[in-house]
Each structure stands twice: as structure tokens, then as C-alpha cells.
Amino acid sequence: MEQDQSVAAGVDSGTAEHGAAAFDLSGANPDANAYGQNPSSVMQADGALGVAETAGGGAQGADASVYATEHAALNGTADYQSAGATENGAAPTNEMGEPVPEPSYEEAVLSAEEARLWNVVTANCLDFNAWTALIDETEKNAESNILKIRKVYDAFLAEFPLCFGYWKKYADHEGRLDGVNKVIEVYERAVLAVTYSVDIWYNYCQFAISTYDDPDIIRRLFERGLAYVGTDYRSNSLWDEYIKYEESLQAWSHLAVIYTRILEHPIYQLDRYFNCLKELASTRNLSEILTAEEASVYGVTSENSAQALDGEVHPDDADKSAQPEISTSAEAENLAKYVSVREEMYKKAKEYESKIVGFELGIRRPYFHVKPLDNPELENWHNYLDFIEKEEDINKWYLLKLTFLTIYLSSKDGPSFLMEVIKLYERCVIACASYPEFWIRYVKCMEDKGSLELASNALTRATHVFVKKQPEIHLFSAHFKELNGDVAGAREEYQHLYSELCPGFLEAIVKHSNMELRLGDKESACLVYEKTIAAEREKEQSQLLPTLLIQYSRFLFLAIRDLEKARETITALHEQFSVTKPILEAVIHLESMFPCEKRIEFLDSLVEKFLAPEPSHGEVVSLGDKEEISSIFLEFLDLFGDAKSIKKALNRHTTLFSCKRSILPSKKRKADDAIVSERDKLAKTAGTQPVMANDPNVPNPPVWPATSEASGQQWGAAYAPQATYPTYGTYDYSHQMPQSAPQAAAYGAYPPTYSAQAYAQPAPMAVAAPAPAVAPAPAPTAAYPQQPAAAPQAYYGATYY
């Protein structure tokens, strides 16, 4: 392989050592989580490429803000053009030794179509189709203009860092137009962004094999990747590439170690690997496939190993060759022991594989895509995580693995149950990156396991990169930070949510105020409401303001115990806004709560205004809404009014609604008519009164419900008592939750529920009618509609804590 010798010697420092250090594992725990560090740290501890980044810098997406910039390194998109940044550790210099500034993105000239597509993705940074169209257009027009290519790929990968295929295309462009140094830089950013992707490590290792001659450099890179994804059930492609490379070098001892390591884990095609190991052991001398440590275990001297490796015959070997039977017998025994030990590993791995293979086969899409996953696959991920979190199911396997490693391999890297849980979660949040429920579950699991740092880091990636547009994750993040003492961080989450992400998001406002109250700061709690109310008043037509005033009045009375201010707030609501059904419900509800004289005349005037045939606000109010408000007010008066006010309201209610009973209760009257008709039919066919004896064999007659319209209705049949004001209760935020865009068009979108878990409905029971004396009438042909399935249930409830 021909290559630039300076690159082969050292990728960024110009020293002979750094070429190997590029893929060094020194000081890094192979089982360490790539994200298990301070979120603002820039590179993986074992990356060691020396790419300088600033913790606060980051390649900005189309709508990036300071809030998201703080964690740009989390998606591998740190700003490589920031002031003072170096490229691969060595900034280019001119003849005077002064740094040469990097060309700016702004110098790239865009075509009309490119400019149009940039405007589209700027307006909606999650429009995946627009991004791909922009990339295609840029690649078509860029030719050798690397600046245009960098600009579009950096911006795209800032929003979609898990698209490993685009990292590969980006690296290919850099290799074609700029050179090896930039390719390494892109791949290092890629493995930072999607560390637990088998595919990205596979591509990176292929690049290293085609670029470097030193086997140590290439092996170190393979080891880096396998430390993160080597236990993945589908990691066989990376293992196969490693095996292929060692076979090309005829490094049999390295190859045997690789096979042994594979047999430690339930990897796909495990049978094939075990058979390959047996074939290797049968075609090579044992001394050729043993490492120095293993040779000491099997009693093979280092001289024998050396002879087997270099193929030379030493003079002192004559005495040993004089006893071929003994040597052959000992080697056969050692070989049998060697294979037997690994066969035991293989059997244990197969045993564990039988427990997880169903989950693994249920993972149809292990990579990221903006299209939503189907419900069975989402459910499969939840079930798999449930299984892996139950330590009793797999601890026995890891104990056996630890025993083997300690006795036979003297491995420094013992198995870690927690790391296997982490690795499965990391695999999950690649395929399910658009679903906040999995991020929330990941955070809660790490918190329960006592790893608050990992929990915080996963939450940071979710809120700043992967589901940053979803209010659900920010509400969870705020509560998580509050529980763990980060009050300032919780405030930042709430303010970002109702000020920037979803302006005027009521639930965030209420929760922020309640948090301040829990902290004992009543003034700050009220200030949250008052600042938002002031901002809403400046708008010409605020849809939020009436609801906000209602909630504030309720908060003032229940939490602050300021009755006077609460009543002032609700009075201002009536004076400033037209009377609507929600406002009236809230006013009546709050008035019933206030421990003071009830303003009956005030409420009556509001109801009178709402029930007017032509309301002054010009909005058409349905007859059902009017009747419901009138019914609520009647019940309020029944509790707090006098006889005079009750009579006035009842007369108004009867006048407005009793004459329309033929329309309002039409469904109920049809049902009553059907009951009466069937009862009369049975009475005619029976002919005589049923016998009321005590004979248990004589069936009792059916008891028919009374159909009298005047069955104890105090306010008349038109008054619907179920529509009462106490149903107002706590405010419902569901209508204000921003709706997600379809996932086919937006990365951040996700279904509002985990899966549609429809409960099986019992089959309708056939009721045997009494035998008629004459032929029965033909049954109606119209079938009754089946009872609808239960509404979809979210995996987590409305509360995450």
C-alpha cells in the first residue's frame, strides 16, 4: 500500500509515535461507556487523535441556539473552524510560521436550487427529505468544492448524527478531495456520535486497513471498536473483518485469541466460529496458536513456541525430537484440553443465546431512520430491556464467564453486568432515538443502578440532540434535575420549554411555578405567572391568557392563600374577555371554592350573557353547551343560592330548553321506545300473568326499568345533573400539548403513545328470550356495532416519576 509517509508516521503531531497513538487504548477502559464522562467534554478518552474542540463550540444546525450549543460534542459535530482550533493537532502554517486561517463556509457559492433547499431546512431543521435533497444537489454541483460539501454534511449531521451512512459518504468526500488527515477527523467525529454502531466501526477499520501498514495501528482500532460493540449479537461483520485481517498476516495465535473471545459471547453464527476454531486447532501445532500466557498454562515452554513461530531448528532440540511419542501424546492431550475449555464456553454462550435470540430476531431495524418503528418492534425492545435488567436471568452466565477468564485467560477486563445493560440501551437508543420513552427509561435505569453521571449524560443527549423538540423529555429533565439538586438546570429547562420551544406552554409554566413554591419562594412562584401574563397581554389576541388567568387565580387561592388577589384575577378575566364556556365553568368552580359570600348576581349576569340568543362576542354557541352551563349554574345555586335565585334560573332553563326536548334526548327516547315496544310484545304473546311461585325451576319475569319522564327530576328532565361544575377539577393540559409531525418527515417526531394495546373484548352473550306462543317476528338484520377497543396506552403514564 502506497501512502504518504508522514501520514503513516504520525497523523497529527508529526512524530513517529502518534501514528500508533491514533488508535491507542492506553488509559481507556475497553468496556467504558463512550458517553460516560462530563457532557461538555469534547472527545472520547480513547480517541487520542488530538482534534481540538472547545466545549462551548459546535457546528450549528439550522435552528441551533446557545442552549443546544453547549453540548455540540455529543453528536460529533464540534466546531472545527472556531478560533484557535487545530486540524488533527497541527494547524497549517505559512512560510513565516503563522497559522493559515481555514476557508469559511460563506465563501461557497450556492446555486438557486441549493439556496432554496437551504431556506427549507432553515425553516424546519427536522425535514429529513429536504436535507437529503440538499445533499444530493450539493454533491451534484460541488465537484471539487470541499467547502460546500463540508457545510451541508456538518449541518445535516448536527441534526441527524446517527446516520452512519452519511458519515461514511462524508469521509469518502474528504479522502477524495483533501486527504487522509481529514478522513480520520470525520471518522473520529462519527465514532463519537454513534459509538455503539457496528457499521461505523466496520467502515473505520476498513479505511485503516487500506491506509496503514503497521498491524499494531490497525489492531488497536479494531480493539477500540470491539470494546464497544464486540458483544453485540450482530457484531459478526466486525469480527469477520478482524479475522480476515489476521488470516492475511498468518498471525495464528492472534486468530485463535479472536475466536476464543467470540465464544465468550452469544454472537450471531456462533456455531460457525466454533467450527473454525476447531479447524484451526486441528491444522496448526498447538504451540502456533497459543499466546505466551496460555503457553504457561499448558506447560508449553517458550522455546517450543518460538520454534513453531520462526520455523528454525535449534541444536538443543535434538534430545526433544528423540522422544516423538511422548511429545505427540502430550500435545494431543493439551490440544484436547484446549478445545474442551472453549467448547464449554461455546455451550454456555449457546445456552444464553437461546434466551435472547427471540429478542434479537425481533429487531428488524437496528439502525436509525426517521420512519417510525412498528408497535411489535417497540414492544420487543421494551421486553428485551425488561429481560436484561433482571439480574437473576443473566448473572449466572456472567459469573461463569468471569470464572473462565480468571482461570484460563487471566483477562484484565472482567465482565460487567452493568456494562451489558448500558450497551443494550445504547443499541436501543440508536434504533429508537426518536422516542422519548426509551430515553426516559434509560435515565431512570441508570439512576436506579446508582450511576447518576451516566443518567445525566443520556438525558443531555436526549434533550440537546435526539428528541430536543419533544416537550415530554424537557418536562422529565426538569423534574430529574430538581430531584438531584440542580435547581438552576430545572429552571433553564422550564424556561426553554415555554419561552423558546413551545411558547406559552401552560403545563411548563404551572410546573415551574409549583417548583418555586416547593422551594419556599412564593414571590418567585407568582412571578412566573405574572411575567407570562404580562407577555400575553402584549399580544393582540392571546388564546392562552384566559386559561392562564384562571390557573393563576386557582393557584393564588389554593397555594398562596390570597383570596382577595384570586378574586381580583378572576374578575379581571370576565371584564377583559368575552364569556365562553371554559371561562364560565372555571368562574363558577372557583366561586364555589372561595370561602366567602358568593357573588350570585355576578354569576347570573354572566350566565344570562352566555345564554343570550345573539351573544355580543359574535361566536356561535351550541345549544348543548348552553344547556350544560345552565345545568352547572343550577346545581351551584342549589348549594349556595336562595329560593328566589333558584326560581329565576330554573324558569330561564325551562324556557330555553324544555321545548327542545324532542331534539336533545332523541337517542334516549328511541331506546325507551324500543324497551316499551318489546315489553308490550312479550305481554301480548304471554297471554297470562307469570306465576310468582317459589319453584326454582320457574324463571322470574324480567324487571323492566321505569320509563316515566318525571322520575324524581328536581329540575325537569332537560336538566342533566352529570354536567356539574365539580368536574372542572385540575386543569387538563392535553389539548395544549404540541402535536408531533409525521416521522416520515421529521426526525424529532414520535407517536404520542408507546403502542396500541387493545384489550380483548368479551363476546356478546346471547340472551334467551321466553318461548313465544306464536311465531316470533324476524330478527332485525342490522348488527349491533362491536364495542371499540381500549384507547392506546402509553408505556409510561402521564407522570414519569
Side-chain angles (χ1 to χ4, degrees):
M1 293 178 287
E2 298 182 0
Q3 55 181 315
D4 188 338
Q5 294 300 319
S6 63
V7 174
V11 247
D12 74 349
S13 65
T15 64
E17 292 82 5
H18 199 82
F23 310 112
D24 197 3
L25 279 169
S26 59
N29 178 5
D31 274 335
N33 183 4
Y35 305 106
Q37 52 178 313
N38 189 313
S40 61
S41 63
V42 182
M43 298 295 289
Q44 300 175 50
D46 57 359
L49 274 185
V51 182
E53 299 175 30
T54 58
Q60 300 300 303
D63 68 341
S65 64
V66 176
Y67 178 81
T69 306
E70 297 174 1
H71 302 278
L74 289 173
N75 58 357
T77 55
D79 190 354
Y80 292 92
Q81 295 194 8
S82 59
T86 61
E87 178 179 86
N88 292 329
T93 58
N94 57 21
E95 297 178 355
M96 303 298 295
E98 300 173 345
V100 177
E102 275 276 320
S104 173
Y105 286 153
E106 283 69 20
E107 297 179 13
V109 180
L110 303 178
S111 66
E113 180 62 12
E114 287 177 285
R116 184 190 71 81
L117 290 170
W118 271 110
N119 290 334
V120 173
V121 297
T122 301
N124 180 11
C125 66
L126 300 182
D127 189 342
F128 188 84
N129 293 332
W131 276 113
T132 55
L134 176 59
I135 291 174
D136 292 341
E137 185 68 20
T138 302
E139 290 175 335
K140 183 174 67 176
N141 299 326
E143 297 179 352
S144 60
N145 190 339
I146 190 63
L147 289 180
K148 294 176 69 173
I149 292 175
R150 287 175 183 167
K151 177 180 180 180
V152 68
Y153 273 100
D154 284 342
F156 169 75
L157 292 169
E159 299 297 339
F160 304 95
L162 298 180
C163 294
F164 71 89
Y166 285 91
W167 285 110
K168 173 67 165 56
K169 292 177 65 178
Y170 191 4
D172 291 344
H173 283 303
E174 290 288 3
R176 177 174 57 89
L177 299 176
D178 202 338
V180 174
N181 285 2
K182 275 291 185 179
V183 176
I184 295 175
E185 179 183 298
V186 170
Y187 273 121
E188 282 298 322
R189 292 167 59 189
V191 298
L192 175 67
V194 58
T195 310
Y196 289 86
S197 168
V198 175
D199 299 283
I200 198 64
W201 285 108
Y202 175 82
N203 292 330
Y204 197 0
C205 289
Q206 280 192 323
F207 160 76
I209 291 172
S210 65
T211 305
Y212 295 99
D213 289 325
D214 188 349
D216 289 337
I217 294 178
I218 297 170
R219 284 171 180 155
R220 274 191 289 268
L221 182 60
F222 271 113
E223 293 300 329
R224 279 183 64 198
L226 292 172
Y228 295 111
V229 302
T231 60
D232 190 332
Y233 184 77
R234 293 287 184 175
S235 62
N236 54 296
S237 59
L238 185 59
W239 285 109
D240 286 342
E241 190 68 16
Y242 200 1
I243 290 170
K244 180 180 176 182
Y245 176 71
E246 294 295 354
E247 285 178 339
S248 69
L249 299 179
Q250 296 186 358
W252 309 121
S253 63
H254 286 278
L255 187 59
V257 170
I258 292 174
Y259 281 128
T260 301
R261 291 170 59 191
I262 292 175
L263 297 179
E264 297 169 17
H265 306 287
I267 304 298
Y268 180 63
Q269 295 183 339
L270 196 62
D271 298 338
R272 175 172 64 87
Y273 293 115
F274 180 57
N275 292 331
C276 289
L277 176 63
K278 290 194 297 183
E279 182 180 354
L280 177 65
S282 64
T283 57
R284 292 287 164 185
N285 292 330
L286 183 61
S287 57
E288 289 185 274
I289 62 177
L290 291 179
T291 63
E293 293 83 359
E294 291 172 329
S296 62
V297 173
Y298 288 96
V300 179
T301 62
S302 58
E303 289 81 7
N304 288 347
S305 297
Q307 177 182 344
L309 290 173
D310 58 27
E312 297 180 3
V313 179
H314 300 278
D316 56 356
D317 291 336
D319 295 337
K320 297 178 183 178
S321 60
Q323 298 177 342
E325 297 82 0
I326 298 176
S327 299
T328 304
S329 176
E331 184 170 345
E333 183 180 347
N334 286 333
L335 179 60
K337 182 180 178 182
Y338 178 88
V339 174
S340 175
V341 169
R342 282 146 185 81
E343 184 175 8
E344 187 66 21
M345 294 172 54
Y346 160 74
K347 290 179 180 179
K348 296 300 180 183
K350 288 293 289 184
E351 179 183 350
Y352 182 58
E353 181 190 17
S354 66
K355 297 181 179 181
I356 66 170
V357 66
F359 300 123
E360 292 289 352
L361 295 179
I363 302 173
R364 303 295 184 183
R365 198 180 75 191
Y367 53 87
F368 167 78
H369 201 282
V370 294
K371 293 181 179 179
L373 292 166
D374 56 21
N375 288 336
E377 189 159 356
L378 293 173
E379 184 178 0
N380 180 68
W381 274 114
H382 278 297
N383 293 337
Y384 199 176
L385 293 170
D386 288 341
F387 168 78
I388 202 72
E389 288 176 5
K390 295 178 181 177
E391 298 186 20
E392 63 272 14
D393 290 339
I394 58 175
N395 268 352
K396 182 178 179 181
W397 154 249
Y398 282 102
L399 181 61
L400 291 170
K401 176 183 171 184
L402 177 60
T403 302
F404 174 82
L405 292 173
T406 303
I407 296 176
Y408 296 102
L409 298 183
S410 301
S411 173
K412 297 179 182 178
D413 306 314
S416 169
F417 166 74
L418 179 59
M419 286 314 307
E420 295 305 318
V421 175
I422 292 171
K423 288 177 181 179
L424 183 60
Y425 266 107
E426 290 293 342
R427 288 176 59 196
C428 173
V429 294
I430 290 176
C432 308
S434 301
Y435 295 86
E437 65 193 80
F438 289 99
W439 290 102
I440 291 172
R441 177 168 182 164
Y442 189 7
V443 172
K444 290 173 66 66
C445 178
M446 293 299 100
E447 184 182 23
D448 293 342
K449 300 293 183 183
S451 184
L452 188 60
E453 184 178 2
L454 293 178
S456 299
N457 196 276
L459 185 59
T460 301
R461 285 185 283 148
T463 55
H464 289 80
V465 182
F466 299 108
V467 283
K468 61 184 179 181
K469 297 294 186 181
Q470 300 299 333
E472 176 185 1
I473 195 68
H474 291 281
L475 290 174
F476 173 80
S477 176
H479 193 263
F480 175 85
K481 291 180 178 180
E482 180 191 353
L483 287 175
N484 289 282
D486 186 7
V487 176
R491 287 194 185 102
E492 182 182 359
E493 289 285 4
Y494 285 129
Q495 292 169 357
H496 170 71
L497 188 51
Y498 64 73
S499 299
E500 300 178 27
L501 184 60
C502 304
F505 186 34
L506 183 59
E507 185 174 3
I509 297 168
V510 171
K511 288 184 178 295
H512 184 189
S513 179
N514 292 345
M515 183 190 75
E516 299 293 352
L517 183 65
R518 285 192 298 273
L519 296 173
D521 192 347
K522 294 183 178 180
E523 182 178 352
S524 296
C526 293
L527 200 59
V528 171
Y529 279 107
E530 291 169 359
K531 284 184 177 180
T532 311
I533 290 172
E536 292 296 321
R537 288 187 190 278
E538 295 179 359
K539 301 178 182 179
E540 294 183 2
Q541 292 183 346
S542 172
Q543 301 295 326
L544 174 65
L545 187 54
T547 306
L548 192 59
L549 289 171
I550 291 170
Q551 193 67 26
Y552 187 34
S553 176
R554 183 172 179 271
F555 174 79
L556 288 170
F557 171 66
L558 294 177
I560 307 299
R561 298 297 180 185
D562 190 340
L563 175 62
E564 182 178 355
K565 192 173 182 180
R567 297 192 77 172
E568 289 177 0
T569 302
I570 205 67
T571 302
L573 172 68
H574 158 63
E575 294 174 350
Q576 298 175 15
F577 299 96
S578 57
V579 180
T580 62
K581 182 174 179 286
I583 290 179
L584 265 179
E585 285 179 330
V587 170
I588 295 173
H589 173 69
L590 291 172
E591 193 68 28
S592 67
M593 292 169 52
F594 294 153
C596 56
E597 183 179 355
K598 311 303 177 186
R599 298 180 293 179
I600 294 178
E601 293 185 2
F602 166 69
L603 294 179
D604 187 78
S605 65
L606 295 182
V607 173
E608 182 75 30
K609 183 178 180 181
F610 181 77
L611 299 179
E614 296 180 0
S616 58
H617 49 76
E619 297 181 2
V620 178
V621 181
S622 70
L623 188 61
D625 286 347
K626 290 183 177 181
E627 184 176 2
E628 186 174 348
I629 287 295
S630 181
S631 299
I632 291 173
F633 185 54
L634 280 172
E635 185 163 343
F636 172 84
L637 291 177
D638 193 35
L639 288 172
F640 306 109
D642 53 21
K644 183 177 179 180
S645 62
I646 292 174
K647 179 180 179 181
K648 177 182 177 182
L650 182 58
N651 288 339
R652 178 177 59 211
H653 185 92
T654 304
T655 302
L656 291 175
F657 307 114
S658 62
C659 61
K660 301 178 178 60
R661 285 174 56 198
S662 60
I663 300 175
L664 295 179
S666 58
K667 294 183 179 179
K668 179 178 182 299
R669 291 175 64 85
K670 288 181 179 179
D672 292 343
D673 291 343
I675 294 174
V676 173
S677 176
E678 190 67 20
R679 181 178 59 184
D680 293 343
K681 188 186 301 181
L682 288 174
K684 291 179 180 179
T685 58
T688 59
Q689 294 293 331
V691 179
M692 302 300 292
N694 293 327
D695 185 355
N697 296 321
V698 178
N700 292 325
V703 179
W704 301 101
T707 57
S708 173
E709 295 290 346
S711 56
Q713 277 285 10
Q714 184 180 0
W715 308 116
Y719 171 44
Q722 66 272 16
T724 56
Y725 67 89
T727 59
Y728 173 73
T730 305
Y731 185 76
D732 178 18
Y733 308 103
S734 59
H735 70 282
Q736 205 199 16
M737 178 71 77
Q739 298 299 317
S740 304
Q743 279 207 1
Y747 160 73
Y750 74 106
T753 57
Y754 157 54
S755 64
Q757 298 178 350
Y759 297 97
Q761 300 296 334
M765 297 179 60
V767 179
V774 294
T781 57
Y784 288 96
Q786 295 295 325
Q787 183 178 357
Q793 299 296 321
Y795 181 80
Y796 289 99
T799 306
Y800 320 112
Y801 27 80

